[in-house]
Amino acid sequence: MIEDVEVSGKRVLLRADLNVTFKPGSTRIADDSRIHASVATIELLRSRGARVVLCSHLGRPKGKVVPEMRIEPVRERMSEVLGVDVGYAGGPVGEEAERVVESLNDSDVAMLENLRFDPGEEDNDADFSNSLASLADVFVNDAFGASHRAHASIVGVADLLPTYAGLLMRAEIVALERAVDSAERPAVAILGGSKVADKLGVVKNLAPNTDAVLIGGGMVSAMLAAQGKSVGSVDVSDDEMKAAKELLDDPIVVDKLHLPTDVIVAEEFSGDSRYIETSADSVPESGFILDIGSQTISNYVDAIGTAEKIVWNGPMGLFEWEAFSGGTQSIASAISDNESAFKLAGGGSTVEAINSLGIADAITHISTGGGASLEFLEGKTLPGIAALHVI
Ligand code: 3PG
């Protein structure tokens, strides 16, 4: 465990997932929760006198320098959050980075440039991994959110240096293992979001150890269409139809599956559209299903209230639009009100909903991973976790 490692005076390469979102068209950070979530490991290393070489990817620059994806806003915010000046290392690797790292004193922190500016990162290139490894004596991987990527800074370096999991990585693994485990019952999975295909693997993997799988969000249209029901103006793609049918045809899944019995249908796809609440069996020929209805909310709230384990990924409707936020808000309140359950939430828009409703403190663990959490919940082996050997 990283707490047992003598890091004083050593250079520690710390891979974090600082891939934050920005306000549209600006370099102002919209959500800095990944920065805050990375602080515990940085502080642990600093308190033990390590020389911290912090690194992350930012966006998808595809192996080129893209000026608006420079790490600078992240470095600046990290300096503010830590209350120390985080140095800038110039490049992801290279002479300047080497010079900056050599000049670090014990407990100092410097940040490398966006790792994905170098094509070697995503290619898991041996030279790039060697260059990164040459900057450090020890490697700590705290980037759970990127652990589904077999990239140089996630798996390549782990073969070249003594490697440990960071505190966030460990907390994520422990919480997600608990989420997929069968022990706590009744267990409820609440799954929303726009595509059934994205959640197919999660539903199939969770269903055997779950008592109720509650479905909401954009997925509802495909699920109802696959049952032969009208879903208004929405054109459900063949892929979505196939994924929805696969769930309905799975005997274990279908036994646990709860679909909305009523829905909110907007005349137009707009936040100020007129809307009606209607039975899921009689959605008009035109219009858009943008939220779950009140009877569905009541059923879902009952299931959540008696659960001992709750896994939540995906809003119930288009909650960004006030008129269609009722389902997500009610589900969030019910989760918050259940004080005894283990509660895990994940996914970008779920976390956004949690933060905007101010219920973050009521969730046992909010995962910093998007794709990584989903792959874990699907039961896949994540290359970044496999590369750790010891956690
Ligand atoms: C994320 O935002 O889910 C992680 O940082 C991984 O980013 P990626 O999908 O661009 O690899």
Side-chain angles (χ1 to χ4, degrees):
M1 294 212 303
I2 184 60
E3 294 93 322
D4 305 328
V5 184
E6 179 54 75
V7 290
S8 179
K10 289 194 180 149
R11 301 165 304 159
V12 177
L13 181 69
L14 174 59
R15 174 56 157 109
D17 181 2
L18 305 174
N19 186 26
V20 295
T21 50
F22 290 94
K23 302 226 160 89
S26 86
T27 52
R28 282 173 43 226
I29 296 173
D31 174 9
D32 63 2
S33 43
R34 281 180 166 165
I35 291 179
H36 285 280
S38 302
V39 163
T41 303
I42 302 174
E43 291 293 22
L44 171 78
L45 293 170
R46 291 190 63 233
S47 71
R48 306 275 170 100
R51 302 168 180 205
V52 183
V53 182
L54 185 57
C55 63
S56 176
H57 70 285
L58 184 62
R60 291 176 176 167
K62 298 196 160 62
K64 290 197 297 280
V65 175
V66 175
E68 53 278 17
M69 293 185 194
R70 287 198 177 280
I71 208 77
E72 179 54 20
V74 176
R75 187 198 66 80
E76 208 176 288
R77 179 63 63 88
M78 185 59 90
S79 298
E80 282 165 17
V81 170
L82 291 174
V84 296
D85 185 30
V86 173
Y88 174 58
V93 291
E95 280 176 23
E96 195 183 339
E98 284 162 23
R99 255 198 320 275
V100 171
V101 171
E102 278 320 305
S103 70
L104 289 176
N105 290 315
D106 294 359
S107 304
D108 280 354
V109 188
M111 195 180 285
L112 301 179
E113 185 47 275
N114 187 346
L115 295 165
R116 290 188 186 170
F117 281 1
D118 193 306
E121 164 65 354
E122 289 187 64
D123 291 347
N124 189 17
D125 173 71
D127 287 344
F128 186 68
S129 298
N130 275 306
S131 301
L132 275 176
S134 73
L135 296 172
D137 309 299
V138 173
F139 174 52
V140 176
N141 187 357
D142 216 15
F144 172 75
S147 57
H148 56 319
R149 307 294 186 209
H151 294 172
S153 67
I154 302 288
V155 298
V157 175
D159 285 337
L160 302 170
L161 289 172
T163 294
Y164 302 90
L167 303 179
L168 174 64
M169 174 70 87
R170 210 160 65 210
E172 292 271 15
I173 295 171
V174 168
L176 279 148
E177 271 174 354
R178 191 168 167 188
V180 294
D181 189 72
S182 64
E184 285 154 302
R185 309 298 278 263
V188 170
I190 308 156
L191 299 173
S194 52
K195 288 201 186 137
V196 180
D198 291 349
K199 301 285 156 74
L200 182 68
V202 176
V203 177
K204 289 190 135 193
N205 191 49
L206 291 184
N209 290 338
T210 299
D211 300 284
V213 179
L214 315 179
I215 299 289
M219 292 158 73
V220 168
S221 293
M223 294 305 299
L224 297 180
Q227 290 181 317
K229 294 178 183 170
S230 161
V231 290
S233 308
V234 172
D235 239 347
V236 175
S237 71
D238 291 347
D239 283 355
E240 279 291 279
M241 197 64 126
K242 191 166 159 254
K245 285 195 169 138
E246 194 174 330
L247 288 184
L248 293 171
D249 288 344
D250 183 317
I252 298 174
V253 170
V254 85
D255 204 32
K256 316 288 174 72
L257 209 56
H258 293 240
L259 296 175
T261 50
D262 58 351
V263 287
I264 306 291
V265 182
E267 270 177 24
E268 288 153 31
F269 194 78
S270 140
D272 50 18
S273 166
R274 288 166 17 139
Y275 59 86
I276 54 161
E277 181 170 272
T278 178
S279 157
D281 294 327
S282 52
V283 172
E285 292 291 301
S286 74
F288 301 86
I289 300 172
L290 295 188
D291 202 1
I292 54 176
S294 44
Q295 188 186 72
T296 307
I297 290 175
S298 164
N299 293 340
Y300 287 8
V301 165
D302 285 349
I304 292 165
T306 54
E308 280 305 317
K309 181 168 78 180
I310 301 167
V311 177
W312 183 23
N313 191 303
M316 294 291 96
L318 245 174
F319 78 97
E320 296 90 342
W321 292 342
E322 179 65 28
F324 310 109
S325 63
T328 304
Q329 286 195 30
S330 305
I331 287 331
S333 303
I335 295 171
S336 168
D337 289 347
N338 181 332
E339 289 178 3
S340 61
F342 165 73
K343 297 174 262 186
L344 176 122
S349 39
T350 316
V351 177
E352 216 178 289
I354 287 170
N355 289 334
S356 73
L357 297 169
I359 60 150
D361 288 348
I363 311 288
T364 321
H365 182 83
I366 300 177
S367 179
T368 53
S373 317
L374 284 179
E375 289 196 19
F376 198 113
L377 292 174
E378 280 173 31
K380 289 189 179 155
T381 300
L382 277 59
I385 297 178
L388 285 172
H389 310 301
V390 209
I391 66 159

